[in-house]
Short mmCIF file of all heavy atoms in Angstrom, two decimals:
data_model
loop_
_atom_site.label_atom_id
_atom_site.label_comp_id
_atom_site.label_asym_id
_atom_site.label_seq_id
_atom_site.Cartn_x
_atom_site.Cartn_y
_atom_site.Cartn_z
N TYR A 17 98.83 88.91 97.61
CA TYR A 17 99.58 88.54 96.42
C TYR A 17 100.90 89.32 96.32
O TYR A 17 101.87 88.84 95.74
CB TYR A 17 98.74 88.70 95.16
CG TYR A 17 98.29 90.12 94.89
CD1 TYR A 17 99.10 91.02 94.23
CD2 TYR A 17 97.03 90.55 95.29
CE1 TYR A 17 98.69 92.30 93.98
CE2 TYR A 17 96.61 91.85 95.03
CZ TYR A 17 97.43 92.71 94.39
OH TYR A 17 97.02 94.01 94.15
N ALA A 18 100.93 90.54 96.89
CA ALA A 18 102.16 91.33 96.82
C ALA A 18 103.33 90.62 97.52
O ALA A 18 104.48 90.69 97.08
CB ALA A 18 101.93 92.71 97.40
N SER A 19 103.00 89.91 98.61
CA SER A 19 104.06 89.20 99.33
C SER A 19 104.61 88.05 98.51
O SER A 19 105.79 87.71 98.59
CB SER A 19 103.53 88.69 100.67
OG SER A 19 102.55 87.69 100.49
N VAL A 20 103.76 87.43 97.70
CA VAL A 20 104.22 86.34 96.83
C VAL A 20 105.16 86.89 95.77
O VAL A 20 106.22 86.31 95.48
CB VAL A 20 103.01 85.64 96.17
CG1 VAL A 20 103.48 84.61 95.15
CG2 VAL A 20 102.12 84.99 97.22
N ILE A 21 104.77 88.02 95.17
CA ILE A 21 105.62 88.62 94.14
C ILE A 21 106.95 89.06 94.75
O ILE A 21 108.00 88.87 94.16
CB ILE A 21 104.90 89.80 93.48
CG1 ILE A 21 103.62 89.30 92.79
CG2 ILE A 21 105.80 90.53 92.50
CD1 ILE A 21 102.75 90.40 92.24
N GLU A 22 106.89 89.62 95.94
CA GLU A 22 108.12 90.05 96.61
C GLU A 22 109.04 88.86 96.90
O GLU A 22 110.27 88.98 96.82
CB GLU A 22 107.78 90.78 97.91
CG GLU A 22 108.99 91.38 98.61
CD GLU A 22 108.60 92.18 99.84
OE1 GLU A 22 107.50 91.95 100.37
OE2 GLU A 22 109.40 93.06 100.24
N LYS A 23 108.44 87.72 97.23
CA LYS A 23 109.22 86.52 97.54
C LYS A 23 109.97 86.03 96.30
O LYS A 23 111.18 85.70 96.40
CB LYS A 23 108.29 85.43 98.04
CG LYS A 23 108.98 84.08 98.28
CD LYS A 23 107.97 83.03 98.71
CE LYS A 23 108.63 81.67 98.86
NZ LYS A 23 107.65 80.61 99.28
N PHE A 24 109.31 86.01 95.15
CA PHE A 24 109.94 85.44 93.95
C PHE A 24 110.64 86.51 93.10
O PHE A 24 111.60 86.19 92.39
CB PHE A 24 108.88 84.74 93.09
CG PHE A 24 108.35 83.47 93.68
CD1 PHE A 24 107.12 83.44 94.32
CD2 PHE A 24 109.09 82.30 93.60
CE1 PHE A 24 106.63 82.27 94.89
CE2 PHE A 24 108.60 81.13 94.15
CZ PHE A 24 107.37 81.11 94.79
N ARG A 25 110.20 87.75 93.17
CA ARG A 25 110.81 88.84 92.41
C ARG A 25 111.05 90.02 93.34
O ARG A 25 110.33 91.02 93.30
CB ARG A 25 109.91 89.27 91.25
CG ARG A 25 109.45 88.15 90.35
CD ARG A 25 110.44 87.75 89.32
NE ARG A 25 109.93 86.63 88.50
CZ ARG A 25 109.13 86.79 87.44
NH1 ARG A 25 108.79 88.01 87.05
NH2 ARG A 25 108.68 85.75 86.77
N PRO A 26 112.03 89.93 94.23
CA PRO A 26 112.25 90.95 95.27
C PRO A 26 112.55 92.35 94.75
O PRO A 26 112.42 93.32 95.47
CB PRO A 26 113.43 90.39 96.09
CG PRO A 26 114.10 89.43 95.16
CD PRO A 26 113.04 88.84 94.32
N ASN A 27 112.94 92.48 93.49
CA ASN A 27 113.29 93.79 92.95
C ASN A 27 112.17 94.42 92.15
O ASN A 27 112.39 95.33 91.33
CB ASN A 27 114.55 93.68 92.08
CG ASN A 27 115.77 93.20 92.86
OD1 ASN A 27 115.98 93.62 94.00
ND2 ASN A 27 116.56 92.31 92.27
N SER A 28 110.95 93.93 92.35
CA SER A 28 109.83 94.38 91.52
C SER A 28 109.12 95.61 92.07
O SER A 28 108.25 96.17 91.40
CB SER A 28 108.79 93.25 91.39
OG SER A 28 109.39 92.12 90.77
N PHE A 29 109.46 96.04 93.27
CA PHE A 29 108.75 97.15 93.89
C PHE A 29 109.48 98.46 93.66
O PHE A 29 110.15 98.98 94.53
CB PHE A 29 108.59 96.89 95.41
CG PHE A 29 107.65 95.77 95.73
CD1 PHE A 29 108.06 94.45 95.59
CD2 PHE A 29 106.36 96.02 96.16
CE1 PHE A 29 107.20 93.40 95.89
CE2 PHE A 29 105.48 94.98 96.44
CZ PHE A 29 105.91 93.68 96.31
N SER A 30 109.38 98.99 92.47
CA SER A 30 110.03 100.27 92.16
C SER A 30 109.00 101.39 92.16
O SER A 30 107.88 101.26 91.66
CB SER A 30 110.72 100.20 90.81
OG SER A 30 109.82 99.87 89.78
N LYS A 31 109.39 102.52 92.76
CA LYS A 31 108.48 103.66 92.83
C LYS A 31 108.24 104.27 91.45
O LYS A 31 109.10 104.19 90.57
CB LYS A 31 109.06 104.72 93.77
CG LYS A 31 109.14 104.30 95.24
CD LYS A 31 109.72 105.42 96.08
CE LYS A 31 109.81 105.02 97.55
NZ LYS A 31 108.45 104.81 98.14
N GLY A 32 107.06 104.89 91.29
CA GLY A 32 106.73 105.54 90.02
C GLY A 32 105.68 106.60 90.25
O GLY A 32 105.18 106.79 91.35
N ASN A 33 105.33 107.28 89.17
CA ASN A 33 104.39 108.39 89.27
C ASN A 33 102.94 107.94 89.19
O ASN A 33 102.59 106.99 88.48
CB ASN A 33 104.63 109.41 88.17
CG ASN A 33 105.95 110.17 88.37
OD1 ASN A 33 106.35 110.42 89.50
ND2 ASN A 33 106.60 110.51 87.27
N ILE A 34 102.10 108.65 89.94
CA ILE A 34 100.64 108.54 89.78
C ILE A 34 100.18 109.81 89.09
O ILE A 34 100.45 110.92 89.56
CB ILE A 34 99.94 108.40 91.15
CG1 ILE A 34 100.43 107.15 91.89
CG2 ILE A 34 98.41 108.36 90.98
CD1 ILE A 34 99.87 107.01 93.28
N LYS A 35 99.48 109.65 87.96
CA LYS A 35 99.06 110.80 87.17
C LYS A 35 97.54 110.84 87.05
O LYS A 35 96.86 109.80 87.12
CB LYS A 35 99.67 110.76 85.78
CG LYS A 35 101.19 110.89 85.73
CD LYS A 35 101.70 110.90 84.31
CE LYS A 35 103.19 111.12 84.24
NZ LYS A 35 103.71 111.15 82.84
N ASN A 36 97.01 112.06 86.88
CA ASN A 36 95.59 112.19 86.61
C ASN A 36 95.35 112.08 85.11
O ASN A 36 96.28 111.88 84.33
CB ASN A 36 95.03 113.49 87.19
CG ASN A 36 95.69 114.73 86.59
OD1 ASN A 36 96.28 114.68 85.50
ND2 ASN A 36 95.61 115.86 87.28
N MET A 37 94.10 112.24 84.69
CA MET A 37 93.75 112.08 83.29
C MET A 37 94.36 113.16 82.39
O MET A 37 94.39 112.99 81.17
CB MET A 37 92.22 112.06 83.12
CG MET A 37 91.52 110.90 83.84
SD MET A 37 92.06 109.29 83.25
CE MET A 37 91.47 109.31 81.55
N ASN A 38 94.83 114.23 82.99
CA ASN A 38 95.48 115.30 82.22
C ASN A 38 96.99 115.11 82.09
O ASN A 38 97.67 115.96 81.54
CB ASN A 38 95.18 116.65 82.86
CG ASN A 38 93.71 117.02 82.81
OD1 ASN A 38 93.02 116.72 81.84
ND2 ASN A 38 93.22 117.62 83.90
N GLY A 39 97.48 114.00 82.68
CA GLY A 39 98.91 113.72 82.61
C GLY A 39 99.72 114.43 83.68
O GLY A 39 100.95 114.39 83.63
N GLU A 40 99.04 115.03 84.65
CA GLU A 40 99.74 115.72 85.74
C GLU A 40 100.12 114.75 86.85
O GLU A 40 99.29 113.90 87.25
CB GLU A 40 98.86 116.84 86.30
CG GLU A 40 98.45 117.87 85.27
CD GLU A 40 97.34 118.78 85.75
OE1 GLU A 40 96.57 118.33 86.65
OE2 GLU A 40 97.23 119.90 85.24
N VAL A 41 101.34 114.85 87.36
CA VAL A 41 101.79 114.01 88.46
C VAL A 41 101.14 114.48 89.75
O VAL A 41 101.28 115.64 90.15
CB VAL A 41 103.32 114.03 88.61
CG1 VAL A 41 103.75 113.18 89.79
CG2 VAL A 41 103.98 113.50 87.32
N ILE A 42 100.40 113.59 90.40
CA ILE A 42 99.70 113.97 91.63
C ILE A 42 100.12 113.10 92.82
O ILE A 42 99.60 113.26 93.94
CB ILE A 42 98.17 113.90 91.47
CG1 ILE A 42 97.74 112.48 91.06
CG2 ILE A 42 97.70 114.91 90.45
CD1 ILE A 42 96.24 112.30 91.03
N GLY A 43 101.06 112.18 92.58
CA GLY A 43 101.50 111.34 93.69
C GLY A 43 102.55 110.34 93.22
O GLY A 43 102.94 110.33 92.05
N VAL A 44 103.01 109.52 94.16
CA VAL A 44 104.02 108.49 93.89
C VAL A 44 103.53 107.17 94.45
O VAL A 44 103.00 107.10 95.56
CB VAL A 44 105.37 108.88 94.53
CG1 VAL A 44 106.40 107.77 94.31
CG2 VAL A 44 105.88 110.19 93.94
N HIS A 45 103.72 106.09 93.68
CA HIS A 45 103.33 104.77 94.16
C HIS A 45 104.58 103.94 94.49
O HIS A 45 105.68 104.28 94.10
CB HIS A 45 102.49 104.03 93.09
CG HIS A 45 103.23 103.73 91.83
ND1 HIS A 45 104.14 102.70 91.72
CD2 HIS A 45 103.19 104.34 90.61
CE1 HIS A 45 104.61 102.64 90.49
NE2 HIS A 45 104.06 103.63 89.79
N ASP A 46 104.36 102.84 95.20
CA ASP A 46 105.47 101.98 95.63
C ASP A 46 105.62 100.73 94.78
O ASP A 46 106.33 99.79 95.16
CB ASP A 46 105.26 101.55 97.10
CG ASP A 46 105.40 102.70 98.06
OD1 ASP A 46 106.27 103.58 97.80
OD2 ASP A 46 104.65 102.77 99.05
N GLY A 47 104.97 100.70 93.64
CA GLY A 47 105.06 99.54 92.74
C GLY A 47 103.71 99.25 92.11
O GLY A 47 102.69 99.21 92.79
N ILE A 48 103.71 99.06 90.78
CA ILE A 48 102.43 98.88 90.08
C ILE A 48 101.74 97.58 90.47
O ILE A 48 100.53 97.43 90.25
CB ILE A 48 102.61 98.93 88.55
CG1 ILE A 48 103.52 97.77 88.07
CG2 ILE A 48 103.15 100.27 88.09
CD1 ILE A 48 103.59 97.66 86.57
N ILE A 49 102.47 96.63 91.08
CA ILE A 49 101.84 95.39 91.45
C ILE A 49 100.83 95.58 92.58
O ILE A 49 100.04 94.68 92.88
CB ILE A 49 102.88 94.33 91.88
CG1 ILE A 49 103.63 94.81 93.12
CG2 ILE A 49 103.83 94.03 90.76
CD1 ILE A 49 104.52 93.72 93.72
N ASN A 50 100.84 96.74 93.22
CA ASN A 50 99.88 97.03 94.29
C ASN A 50 98.55 97.57 93.76
O ASN A 50 97.68 97.94 94.55
CB ASN A 50 100.48 98.04 95.26
CG ASN A 50 101.67 97.47 96.02
OD1 ASN A 50 101.57 96.44 96.68
ND2 ASN A 50 102.81 98.15 95.91
N TYR A 51 98.40 97.63 92.42
CA TYR A 51 97.23 98.27 91.84
C TYR A 51 96.58 97.39 90.79
O TYR A 51 97.26 96.65 90.08
CB TYR A 51 97.62 99.61 91.19
CG TYR A 51 98.20 100.60 92.18
CD1 TYR A 51 99.56 100.57 92.50
CD2 TYR A 51 97.41 101.56 92.79
CE1 TYR A 51 100.09 101.47 93.42
CE2 TYR A 51 97.93 102.47 93.68
CZ TYR A 51 99.27 102.42 94.00
OH TYR A 51 99.81 103.30 94.90
N THR A 52 95.26 97.50 90.68
CA THR A 52 94.50 96.84 89.62
C THR A 52 93.51 97.84 89.06
O THR A 52 93.08 98.77 89.72
CB THR A 52 93.73 95.62 90.14
OG1 THR A 52 92.85 96.00 91.19
CG2 THR A 52 94.67 94.53 90.65
N ILE A 53 93.14 97.63 87.80
CA ILE A 53 92.16 98.52 87.14
C ILE A 53 90.85 98.50 87.92
O ILE A 53 90.33 97.44 88.28
CB ILE A 53 91.92 98.09 85.70
CG1 ILE A 53 93.21 98.07 84.90
CG2 ILE A 53 90.88 98.99 85.03
CD1 ILE A 53 93.87 99.42 84.76
N GLY A 54 90.31 99.68 88.19
CA GLY A 54 89.06 99.78 88.91
C GLY A 54 89.23 99.96 90.41
O GLY A 54 88.25 100.19 91.12
N GLN A 55 90.47 99.83 90.89
CA GLN A 55 90.73 99.97 92.33
C GLN A 55 90.42 101.38 92.80
O GLN A 55 90.72 102.37 92.15
CB GLN A 55 92.19 99.63 92.60
CG GLN A 55 92.62 99.74 94.04
CD GLN A 55 94.08 99.34 94.24
OE1 GLN A 55 94.60 98.53 93.50
NE2 GLN A 55 94.72 99.92 95.24
#
């Protein structure tokens, strides 16, 4: 599905922070569209 989103909305893949439950930054993601709850 990420390729479909990239096709129609090519500017949707912006990097952002990955945080733990304490609000601490523990990583960086390449776009929230690559994630779903429970993953």
Side-chain angles (χ1 to χ4, degrees):
Y17 61 85
S19 67
V20 174
I21 298 174
E22 185 176 22
K23 175 183 176 181
F24 290 101
R25 308 278 179 85
N27 298 320
S28 300
F29 291 77
S30 57
K31 294 181 180 294
N33 290 327
I34 300 176
K35 295 182 177 181
N36 61 21
M37 296 300 294
N38 296 322
E40 300 167 336
V41 177
I42 58 174
V44 176
H45 65 77
D46 292 323
I48 63 172
I49 63 171
N50 294 304
Y51 299 84
T52 58
I53 302 297
Q55 179 178 331

